[in-house]
Amino acid sequence: SNHLHASATIHGLPMGGDPWANATVIELTNPVERERALLELSKKREQYEDLALILWHSFGVMAALLQEIVSVYPMLSPPNLTAHLSNRVCNALALLQCVASHIETRELFLNAHIPLFLYPFLNTTSKTRPFEYLRLTSLGVIGALVKNDNTDVIQFLLSTEIIPLCLRIMETGSELSKTVAIFIVQKILLDETGLAYICQTYERFYAVGTVLSNMVNQLVETQAVRLLKHVVRCYVRLSENPRAREALRQCLPEPLRDATFSVVLKDDVNTKRYLAQLLVNLSDNVVTTN
Amino acid sequence: QGTQTTGANSVPLPDENLLNILSNVAPYINYIPLFANQPGLRKLVNLTIERAIQEIIGPVVERSVTIACISTKELILKDFAMEPNEEKMRNAAHIMVQNLAGSLALVTCKEPLRMSMVTHLRNLLLQNGFTESISEQAILLEVAENLDLACSIVEKSAMDKAIPEIEENLSRSFSDRKKHRERSAQPYYDMTVFSSISRYMNSLPEPLRLKPSGLLPQQLRVYEDFSRIRMTNQPAPNYEDRGGVRGNGIHRGQDIPLQYPPNEISFDNSQIITAQQNIERFTQ
């Protein structure tokens, strides 16, 4: 409890002492009050540093949040999710994101395999706003898990086939969803086991390479610089694997080789450097100089 | 996988349990008018449903039950760490694991079942010479008519298999409570869980804390709520109307779009399971 109060008073209000927050967490376990409690707590979640700990360790709260998740499964196929219900489940997801972000609850959250209950949301394809919002918020939870580089998280994600779900969203999602999805893939690639996993078979490399290449071609049109940054980082990381590097020499999209993106990257020194790095890594006649 | 084939032409028998389920389901199969009056076509529809279910049910149920049991176990152990009564714990675990396993199985099996049924029906019609008379549209309609029925079988199977699995996963916790009661009158603590929770306990507001006397009825209610009927798109869920048990019944007459995008993306080829492997898994 000492630790709880120490961290709480540094970064935010100590929740244990906030009657409003306590009462609202309690309301999460009551189906009649839950909807309003979800809305209010998710709005104010940033204000309470120890909210994740309270959510996890309080009786019944995680069970109640899981109930919220599975109760919308019947609306996924055929796609039939109202804006109202999407908002409600996204508020529950926002609280789960809180639990996924906190260093002291992340592992518990993973051990209980709760992220897997979000995969059916990521697997939806409807383009309507309620579904876009649902996918984006679910990706946010996974994004919060990978934010702090943690091998256990990567291991969990690799063993549960998140990559194909992310790849499809990278191809067909909204720009925001694409950005979060590629962020997750990038984090997986930056991990040693993640890179090895993706480069282990040609099929895996090809699946990732194809989606990245399609994204580059779309980016020529959209010029979305945030997305471009992630794409370049992913390519640089792939080029650090010998087999992937060999393959990329053949299949790196032309717009990354020429000056297509020089204007959009004009002020982005970092990404320009990564792009240069990528081209050096792929140059055919690498002469190792001492 | 080291699969042992029992000869290329032998048809593996599904387990008795599934055969039983499938025969019980026969009276509920729907036929569109085109199929209804021809016994030959009706038979092909029945065979289609049977084959599609056999193909999908094994891996879907296995995965759903595994995940549901892990989540249920972890949350139950945490929430019931100071609950001395193993029957309350068992009851909550059963309700939760059945709901989670059934929900996951249903949401996972729907699209694969639809695709499998369409493929099987198309092939069976071809093999039996119905090449001209039955349109693709009719195949899709006939499949849509029975999709919920097929899904409910997979869902039910997951719900059934989840019970023995969670019993096994929690057997230690149940017997520990019983032993403790026989030995002492002291409050029960699951020390493996409690030691990691205890440091937060004092910070938690009173109603959210576990108490040495065990859980209160309104706390147990959270778990009992897993058995409530599924949420609908209605704006305000009415608590008073929550009487019914979560439906594993047969829903009919829903509008199902015929061209729902197939879910074909799979990253790891080694995890794509062929129909043959499915059936083998099933017969083990």
Side-chain angles (χ1 to χ4, degrees):
Chain A
S1 96
N2 280 342
H3 176 92
L4 183 57
H5 280 288
S7 70
T9 41
I10 293 166
H11 301 287
L13 296 169
M15 237 193 95
D18 184 315
W20 175 84
N22 287 345
T24 315
V25 173
I26 295 162
E27 284 168 1
L28 288 176
T29 62
N30 179 341
V32 184
E33 319 269 10
R34 188 176 299 156
E35 178 161 7
R36 191 174 41 80
L38 285 170
L39 176 66
E40 292 181 359
L41 271 178
S42 63
K43 267 196 294 194
K44 298 193 178 166
R45 66 183 191 275
E46 308 281 339
Q47 291 175 28
Y48 302 99
E49 171 68 14
D50 53 354
L51 181 58
L53 294 169
I54 306 271
L55 292 173
W56 184 271
H57 292 292
S58 294
F59 176 86
V61 171
M62 290 308 297
L65 293 176
L66 207 45
Q67 244 167 52
E68 287 295 308
I69 304 295
V70 297
S71 68
V72 296
Y73 282 178
M75 282 83 190
L76 303 183
S77 170
N80 176 31
L81 187 66
T82 59
H84 167 259
L85 215 48
S86 173
N87 279 332
R88 176 172 169 153
V89 71
C90 285
N91 288 334
L93 289 169
L95 296 185
L96 290 183
Q97 180 171 343
C98 202
V99 175
S101 308
H102 200 290
I103 186 154
E104 284 179 68
T105 47
R106 188 185 305 133
E107 198 188 321
L108 298 163
F109 186 66
L110 272 191
N111 280 347
H113 283 40
I114 294 175
L116 294 178
F117 286 87
L118 277 49
Y119 289 15
F121 296 161
L122 298 176
N123 199 28
T124 59
T125 50
S126 167
K127 298 275 192 192
T128 61
R129 278 179 65 100
F131 279 93
E132 269 299 341
Y133 186 37
L134 182 65
R135 281 191 295 271
L136 181 61
T137 316
S138 303
L139 283 170
V141 180
I142 310 294
L145 277 177
V146 296
K147 214 165 212 164
N148 305 84
D149 308 287
N150 178 318
T151 309
D152 289 342
V153 171
I154 302 296
Q155 210 61 55
F156 178 87
L157 295 179
L158 291 179
S159 68
T160 58
E161 297 268 299
I162 187 90
I163 297 170
L165 295 172
C166 283
L167 290 181
R168 196 172 56 192
I169 293 172
M170 280 157 64
E171 213 151 34
T172 59
S174 67
E175 193 182 312
L176 218 47
S177 291
K178 282 180 181 172
T179 310
V180 187
I182 195 172
F183 171 78
I184 294 165
V185 170
Q186 180 188 324
K187 282 292 189 181
I188 290 172
L189 281 171
L190 287 173
D191 183 90
E192 285 307 324
T193 34
L195 180 65
Y197 175 88
I198 286 176
C199 298
Q200 196 183 332
T201 66
Y202 183 72
E203 284 71 24
R204 290 179 192 170
F205 167 80
Y206 182 76
V208 175
T210 307
V211 172
L212 286 175
S213 152
N214 290 343
M215 284 179 95
V216 170
N217 293 325
Q218 286 171 8
L219 282 165
V220 176
E221 298 294 319
T222 63
Q223 304 272 304
V225 68
R226 203 146 68 110
L227 214 45
L228 180 60
K229 277 178 188 197
H230 290 297
V231 171
V232 171
R233 284 301 306 273
C234 285
Y235 271 120
V236 173
R237 185 59 181 155
L238 283 172
S239 75
E240 286 165 14
N241 175 283
R243 286 167 69 199
R245 182 163 60 232
E246 221 32 70
L248 282 178
R249 285 187 176 133
Q250 313 299 321
C251 68
L252 187 75
E254 205 48 39
L256 289 180
R257 292 187 189 270
D258 57 31
T260 305
F261 294 116
S262 61
V263 175
V264 67
L265 289 179
K266 191 161 54 82
D267 300 318
D268 191 339
V269 183
N270 251 334
T271 307
K272 272 196 291 194
R273 219 181 52 216
Y274 278 120
L275 190 53
Q277 170 82 51
L278 171 65
L279 296 177
V280 169
N281 288 354
L282 297 187
S283 56
D284 288 330
N285 313 307
V286 190
V287 182
T288 12
T289 49
N290 291 320
Chain B
Q1 262 90 51
T3 44
Q4 293 179 348
T5 38
T6 47
N9 295 322
S10 73
V11 179
L13 287 173
D15 71 24
E16 266 177 49
N17 205 4
L18 182 69
L19 282 178
N20 219 344
I21 296 169
L22 290 172
S23 64
N24 288 339
V25 140
Y28 299 99
I29 294 175
N30 294 317
Y31 308 96
I32 59 170
L34 189 59
F35 288 77
N37 299 322
Q38 296 196 51
L41 285 174
R42 290 169 65 114
K43 217 173 149 191
L44 294 185
V45 171
N46 297 7
L47 206 54
T48 292
I49 296 171
E50 203 174 301
R51 287 188 181 174
I53 290 171
Q54 283 179 27
E55 191 175 294
I56 306 292
I57 198 167
V60 168
V61 168
E62 189 183 312
R63 178 176 180 276
S64 307
V65 169
T66 304
I67 297 168
C69 281
I70 292 170
S71 303
T72 301
K73 183 185 176 190
E74 293 296 318
L75 296 189
I76 289 266
L77 282 180
K78 164 185 94 67
D79 280 347
F80 287 71
M82 292 170 75
E83 170 56 58
N85 185 332
E86 72 274 10
E87 282 311 317
K88 288 183 185 170
M89 188 183 189
R90 170 177 280 127
N91 184 44
H94 283 195
I95 295 172
M96 180 175 182
V97 84
Q98 281 202 300
N99 177 284
L100 294 184
S103 299
L104 276 175
L106 185 58
V107 78
T108 318
C109 78
K110 205 163 187 178
E111 287 316 308
L113 264 182
R114 183 205 305 279
M115 287 191 293
S116 173
M117 282 163 72
V118 168
T119 310
H120 280 299
L121 186 54
R122 194 188 289 131
N123 291 345
L124 282 169
L125 289 171
L126 273 175
Q127 286 160 19
N128 290 277
F130 294 97
T131 32
E132 303 294 321
S133 51
I134 312 287
S135 68
E136 185 69 13
Q137 180 76 1
I139 292 174
L140 295 176
L141 270 175
E142 181 54 41
V143 166
E145 279 291 310
N146 291 293
L147 183 59
D148 284 337
L149 173 69
C151 286
S152 68
I153 291 168
V154 177
E155 180 191 25
K156 177 76 165 49
S157 171
M159 291 172 81
D160 291 346
K161 289 207 165 128
I163 297 289
E165 183 113 356
I166 196 71
E167 275 294 320
E168 198 184 319
N169 287 346
L170 290 174
S171 63
R172 245 318 265 295
S173 310
F174 296 151
S175 65
D176 281 354
R177 279 165 177 75
K178 215 170 152 185
K179 275 186 228 148
H180 176 85
R181 198 166 48 239
E182 286 159 7
R183 270 200 313 260
S184 106
Q186 296 296 308
Y188 177 83
Y189 296 88
D190 181 344
M191 284 317 293
T192 52
V193 183
F194 191 75
S195 54
S196 61
I197 297 181
S198 57
R199 65 185 178 124
Y200 302 108
M201 275 300 166
N202 292 335
S203 311
L204 289 177
E206 184 62 32
L208 297 174
R209 252 188 250 178
L210 309 183
K211 289 164 206 66
S213 50
L215 296 166
L216 306 168
Q218 65 261 37
Q219 288 182 308
L220 290 170
R221 183 114 186 226
V222 176
Y223 281 88
E224 286 158 12
D225 279 341
F226 271 108
S227 69
R228 74 185 154 148
I229 49 168
R230 288 192 195 128
M231 193 171 306
T232 61
N233 269 326
Q234 255 77 68
N238 187 347
Y239 195 59
E240 307 311 318
D241 285 350
R242 308 180 311 115
V245 174
R246 183 169 166 280
N248 51 5
I250 295 142
H251 328 283
R252 293 194 201 167
Q254 286 185 10
D255 288 330
I256 293 151
L258 295 176
Q259 280 162 338
Y260 193 68
N263 171 21
E264 63 208 334
I265 190 157
S266 180
F267 194 61
D268 188 341
N269 283 328
S270 68
Q271 298 201 4
I272 296 175
I273 295 156
T274 64
Q276 181 61 31
Q277 282 171 307
N278 269 336
I279 294 165
E280 274 163 9
R281 271 190 189 199
F282 212 83
T283 49
Q284 270 162 19

